[in-house]
């Protein structure tokens, strides 16, 4: 796509600190560096978000995640863990609409990365869980 910043990075029209590249994906340092080593892995094929992948592309792209994650972790003994995130849609904090996976190395609890999971289980009932479950299960029919 002509006006896509990640397509331009893939084509080399915009420079990037590339850490891995093959025929399917490119992985490069995120400009923001939430933590040191924060990397984005993107499919070379322009797809907007997770909802646009077909099985073949998904298999090819996501199969490459562990080796990129391992390389980042092995690059610095201070890396203790890693958050792997994929934002889909503006509401989910997606700001670049070429699908990408964030690999965010973790050094400690106060290393610059934060995430909040609210527990709403007290507002749930067996009926509500089943209603949500069924609505999703129905999509596979
Ligand atoms: P999103 O918010 O869509 O999940 O993540 C987009 C990411 O792309 C952000 O973390 C942002 O820092 C990164 N980003 C935006 N423009 C550029 C760029 O030109 N080069 C690089 N390396 N990263 C970028
Ligand atoms: Zn693109």
């Amino acid at each position: 796509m002509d006006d896509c910043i990640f397509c331009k990075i893939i084509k080399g029209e915009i420079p990037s600190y590339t850490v891995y590249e093959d025929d399917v994906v490119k992985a490069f340092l995120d400009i923001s560096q939430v933590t040191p080593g924060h990397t984005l892995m993107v499919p070379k094929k322009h797809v907007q978000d997770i909802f646009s992948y077909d099985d073949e592309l998904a298999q090819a792209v996501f199969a490459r995640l562990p080796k990129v994650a391992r390389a980042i972790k092995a690059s610095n003994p201070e890396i203790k863990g890693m958050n792997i995130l994929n934002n889909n849609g503006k509401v989910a904090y997606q700001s670049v609409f070429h699908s990408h996976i964030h690999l965010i190395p973790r050094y400690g609890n106060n290393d610059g990365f934060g995430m909040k999971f609210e527990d709403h289980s007290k507002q749930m009932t067996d009926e509500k869980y089943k209603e949500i479950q069924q609505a999703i299960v129905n999509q596979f029919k």
Side-chain angles (χ1 to χ4, degrees):
M1 248 180 94
D2 285 351
D3 60 349
C4 171
I5 193 157
F6 288 171
C7 282
K8 287 181 180 164
I9 286 176
I10 289 159
K11 283 187 260 174
E13 292 171 10
I14 294 177
S16 66
Y17 299 96
T18 300
V19 299
Y20 177 78
E21 183 168 15
D22 61 24
D23 52 330
V24 177
V25 299
K26 184 162 177 140
F28 50 93
L29 297 183
D30 189 297
I31 205 78
S32 70
Q33 291 296 285
V34 167
T35 65
H38 177 188
T39 297
L40 298 175
M41 194 179 87
V42 306
K44 287 196 164 171
K45 180 182 161 75
H46 179 96
V47 284
Q48 179 167 316
D49 53 33
I50 193 72
F51 310 115
S52 313
Y53 284 70
D54 59 25
D55 287 358
E56 194 186 347
L57 184 65
Q59 278 172 25
V61 171
F62 288 95
R64 283 154 166 87
L65 262 178
K67 76 174 163 191
V68 176
R70 277 193 298 269
I72 296 167
K73 186 166 187 297
S75 72
N76 185 338
E78 289 176 36
I79 295 174
K80 307 282 188 279
M82 188 174 294
N83 286 95
I84 297 181
L85 296 177
N86 168 232
N87 300 332
N88 297 281
K90 212 170 165 187
V91 72
Y93 307 124
Q94 185 176 9
S95 64
V96 176
F97 292 90
H98 177 134
S99 179
H100 51 279
I101 300 146
H102 292 263
L103 297 100
I104 305 178
R106 299 303 308 277
Y107 298 81
N109 291 330
N110 299 310
D111 57 7
F113 178 82
M115 202 158 61
K116 189 170 88 171
F117 283 87
E118 288 182 10
D119 181 357
H120 294 143
S121 59
K122 287 195 170 56
Q123 293 150 41
M124 294 295 288
T125 60
D126 183 46
E127 208 166 67
K128 279 186 191 166
Y129 281 116
K130 283 182 175 150
E131 192 185 312
I132 294 167
Q133 175 197 22
Q134 204 51 52
I136 299 169
V137 167
N138 286 343
Q139 305 310 314
F140 295 99
K141 289 179 179 159

